[in-house]
Amino acid sequence: MVLVDTGFGSVKFIQGVRKKKYHIIAGIARTRKLTDGRCVAQLHKRGQQLYLQGLKFPVFVSCQLSSTVVTLPVEANSVAEGVINLVKTEGYDVVVLGASHEGLLQQAIQGNIPEAIASGVESTVILVRGAINS
């Protein structure tokens, strides 16, 4: 099971997760278009099957469209330690991280956070990075 926020709800990302045969729960922007031209914000029922533009398979609305995000405070000596402890405590199958753009000096001081998390958990770690401009 992969749980991601709206930032990882792109067609390409969802298709990639499905290729790995994982189920995905993703936040979808209210402005996201359906194949019939409506926006997700125009839906009114939970459990409604729908087709998002760019996806060939159906998805389902499983929560209220006006849901709020709940933050979970985590106390740790470092970001990597906090994420590792949370993953182990909650038993997450997959961790999705955005790649940072920090330089070598900053990595030498702070360490490579994604690498530390990936080596500290037994779960699958997916590192997502935007296109690199040349």
Side-chain angles (χ1 to χ4, degrees), residues 111-132:
N112 185 316
I113 295 170
E115 186 178 303
I117 293 169
S119 63
V121 299
E122 293 184 20
S123 307
T124 298
V125 176
I126 300 172
L127 187 61
V128 180
R129 170 176 244 148
I132 298 173

Side-chain angles (χ1 to χ4, degrees), residues 22 57 119:
Y22 286 115
F57 48 85
S119 63

Side-chain angles (χ1 to χ4, degrees), residues 5-49:
D5 70 10
T6 308
F8 295 102
S10 72
V11 168
K12 192 172 184 176
F13 182 80
I14 292 171
Q15 289 171 337
V17 170
R18 295 239 329 163
K19 275 186 187 174
K20 298 249 180 219
K21 302 209 187 293
Y22 286 115
H23 295 283
I24 183 168
I25 298 173
I28 300 296
R30 295 173 53 83
T31 55
R32 189 78 172 261
K33 294 281 188 189
L34 307 177
T35 55
D36 65 8
R38 293 180 298 158
C39 289
V40 170
Q42 295 173 294
L43 302 174
H44 300 289
K45 285 192 224 168
R46 279 179 83 164
Q48 213 171 341
Q49 178 178 313

Side-chain angles (χ1 to χ4, degrees), residues 96-110:
V96 180
L97 301 170
S100 63
H101 295 284
E102 56 207 22
L104 291 176
L105 178 61
Q106 203 168 11
Q107 284 186 30
I109 294 168
Q110 296 176 333

Side-chain angles (χ1 to χ4, degrees), residues 40-87:
V40 170
Q42 295 173 294
L43 302 174
H44 300 289
K45 285 192 224 168
R46 279 179 83 164
Q48 213 171 341
Q49 178 178 313
L50 52 100
Y51 286 84
L52 296 172
Q53 285 184 355
L55 294 179
K56 294 180 180 176
F57 48 85
V59 297
F60 296 88
V61 177
S62 65
C63 65
Q64 295 177 349
L65 298 174
S66 60
S67 298
T68 57
V69 175
V70 178
T71 59
L72 176 64
V74 175
E75 188 176 330
N77 292 323
S78 69
V79 172
E81 180 185 306
V83 173
I84 291 167
N85 291 341
L86 184 63
V87 170

